[in-house]
Amino acid sequence: MPLLKSWVASANSADTPFPLNNLPYGVFSVGEEDPRCGVAIGDMILDMQAAEEAGLIDLTDYALFEVPFWNDLMEEGPAVWAALRERLMALLSEGAAEQAKVEPLLVPMKDAELHMPMMVSEYTDFYAGKNHAVNVGTMFRGPENALPPNWLHIPIGYNGRASSVVVSGTDVRRPWGQLKGPNDDAPRWAPCARFDIELEMGAIVGTPSEGPITVAEADANIFGYVLLNDWSARDIQAWEYQPLGPFQAKATATTISPWIVTKTALEPFRCDTPPREVELLDHIKDCGPMLYDIDLEVTMAPEGKPATTIARTNYKEMYYSAAQQLAHHTTSGCPMNAGDLLGSGTISGETKESRGSLLELSWGGKEPLTLETGDERSFIVDGDTLTLKGAAKGDGYMIGFGDCVGKVLPALDDPYKR
């Protein structure tokens, strides 16, 4: 599919992440105004509340955009999702009859503050990138036992904290926790010393489900995607994760990009999952291309210094798709809700430069990275800013998500010494 032309001139550049082909959904505010839903087009944002009040958007018998989140639209289902996209295309395409009515409803993106685009109902994080799982398993158990026995059969995951999900630009505070090194006799209470990121994609459930669903049904239920940084306290995790897995090590924060890119916008970039080493059971078998060809990268910037790109990879490296993860999530009868967020798991490629976490990039701290500034890093230092970027590249255009940014602040003074 080629670049679709808009009367919004900035949307026709090959360099914009938000061409007419994209039309991602977010929440914004300007000055002291209340947050409201918006659609990104070039370097502008279409005010959806104003468009609805002006009668330009009229999809249901009640107002969809009186609230500053996209969950109400999600709950309407795929038919209304498609109708909204069709209407937005009609309003913003080159030669649109209603251009004069729409123009006053556009807000310059540079003047806007971006907020959480949705209310997160529940949050589940998976461990579904094979290269990452092999790397981490090799570090801790050796190459012969890198993957646990179940890994090639099911997408492994854990239920995280919806309350910890924050929008890009939110500072992240270094956590305290129980730490115990391999040579320590007992654990100690201290700030995390091995704070890390995980480069992930997040799938957002749009259509609720009450019982088990197929992979094809799960794919239809997904509303859209965001970039996702699963901040991870590796030293806290090493002590606490046996036998039940991550807990406080993953509860500090999970940062998402500010714009929800719809599944429809990503359709031209569908691709297959990697070849299977073990045949999957019927309920999670592939039923068509379910992944997306999305280039991803991570940059790190020390306080007051320029950023260095430390990793480049692609979403197509995942072993399990979001649809397979969602289908498996429902097998027990677990209900899924509009606004549920599914983290893909760390996305790493086969080369060192494509590893999606500092744990892998520094090989557990044994091989520190040297940034372009000359600084060395094994894990995150206070004041570092980590940025996740992603875009699907089309014919003369790209589909972007907006950057997923977080700066790490020093740990608080010991909260239990009063």
Side-chain angles (χ1 to χ4, degrees):
M1 178 187 293
L3 172 69
L4 302 175
K5 291 298 184 71
S6 170
W7 54 261
V8 180
S10 59
N12 299 326
S13 167
D15 297 326
T16 179
F18 308 124
L20 187 61
N21 305 62
N22 193 349
L23 300 178
Y25 302 147
V27 171
F28 75 101
S29 64
V30 177
E32 298 301 316
E33 293 180 356
D34 292 334
R36 55 184 59 199
C37 290
V39 175
I41 178 74
D43 60 6
M44 308 294 283
I45 302 173
L46 174 60
D47 185 331
M48 291 299 290
Q49 182 176 326
E52 189 173 57
E53 290 171 351
L56 294 169
I57 303 292
D58 185 16
L59 302 175
T60 61
D61 57 4
Y62 72 98
L64 282 173
F65 301 112
E66 286 185 342
V67 291
F69 44 79
W70 285 84
N71 299 61
D72 285 7
L73 176 69
M74 294 179 202
E75 292 176 353
E76 291 296 320
V80 176
W81 306 347
L84 175 61
R85 184 172 178 83
E86 183 179 354
R87 181 60 177 150
L88 290 170
M89 287 282 185
L91 293 173
L92 295 168
S93 291
E94 192 173 58
E98 294 167 291
Q99 176 179 341
K101 296 180 181 178
V102 178
E103 277 187 292
L105 310 182
L106 293 178
V107 175
M109 197 173 292
K110 64 180 178 59
D111 297 336
E113 178 183 356
L114 300 179
H115 305 273
M116 279 290 294
M118 62 178 181
M119 293 189 298
V120 180
S121 298
E122 306 282 354
Y123 168 51
T124 302
D125 190 41
F126 285 88
Y127 185 59
K130 185 182 176 188
N131 294 315
H132 172 70
V134 168
N135 286 337
V136 174
T138 298
M139 270 185 259
F140 293 110
R141 295 183 297 275
E144 66 284 354
N145 296 308
L147 292 178
N150 57 359
W151 201 95
L152 294 173
H153 298 270
I154 56 172
I156 299 171
Y158 69 93
N159 288 314
R161 294 288 302 173
S163 62
S164 74
V165 181
V166 298
V167 74
S168 174
T170 305
D171 291 337
V172 176
R173 180 75 64 177
R174 183 179 298 274
W176 285 75
Q178 278 201 18
L179 315 179
K180 183 182 181 299
N183 299 319
D184 295 339
D185 293 330
R188 57 194 173 85
W189 175 248
C192 166
R194 294 163 68 91
F195 205 39
D196 198 1
I197 56 126
E198 291 191 344
L199 169 60
E200 304 191 21
M201 294 290 298
I204 299 165
V205 176
T207 305
S209 59
E210 290 297 328
I213 60 176
T214 66
V215 172
E217 290 169 335
D219 184 57
N221 284 12
I222 293 173
F223 180 68
Y225 291 82
V226 292
L227 303 178
L228 186 149
N229 183 354
D230 174 27
W231 300 90
S232 301
R234 299 300 187 188
D235 39 8
I236 297 173
Q237 184 177 359
W239 171 233
E240 75 175 3
Y241 84 103
Q242 300 181 62
L244 295 182
F247 183 39
Q248 291 303 95
K250 300 281 192 172
T252 300
T254 298
T255 304
I256 63 170
S257 52
W259 298 101
I260 301 171
V261 174
T262 65
K263 189 176 58 182
T264 304
L266 292 170
E267 282 300 312
F269 307 98
R270 279 188 181 265
C271 59
D272 291 316
T273 48
R276 301 288 168 201
E277 297 178 31
V278 175
E279 185 174 359
L280 299 176
L281 297 181
D282 288 346
H283 75 284
I284 52 170
K285 275 187 177 177
D286 299 276
C287 61
M290 293 289 174
L291 282 179
Y292 300 96
D293 183 355
I294 302 172
D295 289 332
L296 301 166
E297 67 176 84
V298 181
T299 69
M300 172 181 267
E303 182 94 62
K305 297 182 181 180
T308 298
T309 297
I310 60 173
R312 286 188 176 92
T313 186
N314 192 291
Y315 184 42
K316 65 185 178 183
E317 294 284 353
M318 297 306 298
Y319 194 80
Y320 296 100
S321 68
Q324 289 171 307
Q325 294 170 345
L326 176 54
H328 183 67
H329 207 323
T330 69
T331 54
S332 65
C334 171
M336 303 301 294
N337 303 309
D340 280 353
L341 176 63
L342 307 182
S344 62
T346 306
I347 306 166
S348 295
E350 295 182 353
T351 64
K352 181 174 182 178
E353 296 76 18
S354 61
R355 296 171 183 171
S357 68
L358 285 162
L359 177 67
E360 297 167 86
L361 287 165
S362 71
W363 207 249
K366 296 177 181 178
E367 302 172 10
L369 289 72
T370 301
L371 307 181
E372 292 175 1
T373 58
D375 298 87
E376 280 197 351
R377 291 289 186 274
S378 293
F379 293 95
I380 300 169
V381 171
D382 292 345
D384 286 347
T385 296
L386 280 297
T387 302
L388 277 51
K389 302 172 182 284
K393 307 292 178 59
D395 181 10
Y397 71 97
M398 61 180 171
I399 302 294
F401 298 78
D403 290 350
C404 180
V405 183
K407 179 179 179 179
V408 174
L409 303 182
L412 296 170
D413 292 338
D414 189 340
Y416 297 106
K417 286 188 176 179
R418 297 171 184 165

